[in-house]
Amino acid sequence: MPLDTDEAPAADAGAPLTDMPVAATIGQMLRARRKEIGKTMKQVAREAGLTEGFISQIERGISTPSLISLYNVANALGTSVDTFLSQPPQHAHSIVSHAGERRGYNVETKERVYELLERGFPGAQLNGCITHMPAGYASELTSHDGEDFLYLIEGEMLYEIDGKEYVLKAGDTLHFPSSLPHRARNIGAGPARELWVGTTRIIAEQ
């Protein structure tokens, strides 16, 4: 999923943005951690629900994972996504999330932004994220524990869930067990925004 150095469009003009390391840096960190714990790429791929070829591409800086795939790889390596964030989120457990005040995070390009939504209270089961996806974006095939609920805020997306395709337009929703292999592609002419709510705790509780 080449690096783009254009300025990122955040959810609001005043929203701050924190970049994650560039692809090569993420790959180097993942390779170093894998070698430290003595795992092969094949083992990591199997545990992360990804292909060995994709793990190799990540480590070589050719491809970068989506946030959820980075979560899966981090789990397979016995660590957390926070390890790879340039500035880990600080949880305030606020029951209110204001547009324009949320921090955005990049994984692969500055055009693709994740707004991690604050958990309202310690131990909350639901997790949320607004993802900004540029035209032409396509994710890798992945799977993980729990369930996903998606609401498409803007744009047109094609989702593949367990081999079946679903086209969503603004206002449409999708709800499925995230253990099913799934991926997404922006098929619209412009950017898309998606609200994800799920039971997968991508960012560790503090």
Side-chain angles (χ1 to χ4, degrees):
M1 312 192 226
L3 287 176
D4 191 326
T5 56
D6 293 338
E7 191 65 26
D12 184 275
L17 178 67
T18 297
D19 293 342
M20 290 187 70
V22 296
T25 303
I26 291 176
Q28 290 167 358
M29 293 171 70
L30 291 173
R31 183 191 296 112
R33 174 61 181 171
R34 178 175 63 78
K35 290 184 176 296
E36 178 187 353
I37 62 176
K39 282 191 174 181
T40 64
M41 285 192 289
K42 186 173 184 178
Q43 288 174 313
V44 173
R46 183 178 64 250
E47 294 175 22
L50 298 166
T51 66
E52 184 177 354
F54 187 65
I55 297 297
S56 175
Q57 289 178 351
I58 294 172
E59 291 195 358
R60 289 181 289 152
I62 297 173
S63 297
T64 50
S66 63
L67 188 59
I68 190 63
S69 288
L70 182 59
Y71 163 83
N72 286 341
V73 172
N75 277 353
L77 295 174
T79 185
S80 68
V81 169
D82 303 56
T83 305
F84 307 102
L85 291 173
S86 55
Q87 184 177 343
Q90 299 298 313
H91 298 302
H93 293 118
S94 172
I95 64 173
V96 176
S97 173
H98 294 288
E101 297 180 3
R102 293 186 289 265
R103 185 178 298 278
Y105 292 89
N106 300 105
V107 173
E108 59 176 349
T109 76
K110 290 189 175 182
E111 285 188 337
R112 185 176 174 202
V113 181
Y114 295 94
E115 291 181 64
L116 300 174
L117 306 182
E118 178 62 54
R119 296 189 193 102
F121 54 92
Q125 298 300 306
L126 296 180
N127 305 271
C129 179
I130 295 175
T131 306
H132 302 246
M133 297 161 286
Y137 161 77
S139 72
E140 65 277 12
L141 188 67
T142 187
S143 62
H144 51 96
D145 292 335
E147 56 185 278
D148 289 354
F149 181 91
L150 305 175
Y151 173 82
L152 195 61
I153 303 170
E154 175 187 19
E156 185 176 4
M157 296 286 295
L158 173 67
Y159 295 92
E160 181 186 326
I161 313 295
D162 199 24
K164 296 181 180 180
E165 295 185 341
Y166 304 89
V167 175
L168 267 64
K169 297 183 178 181
D172 294 343
T173 66
L174 190 63
H175 187 195
F176 60 95
S178 33
S179 57
L180 298 177
H182 56 278
R183 57 184 161 192
R185 179 160 57 93
N186 184 349
I187 60 174
R193 283 188 299 144
E194 164 201 280
L195 168 64
W196 169 83
V197 177
T199 54
T200 303
R201 181 163 291 180
I202 299 175
I203 302 299
E205 187 70 86
Q206 289 184 332

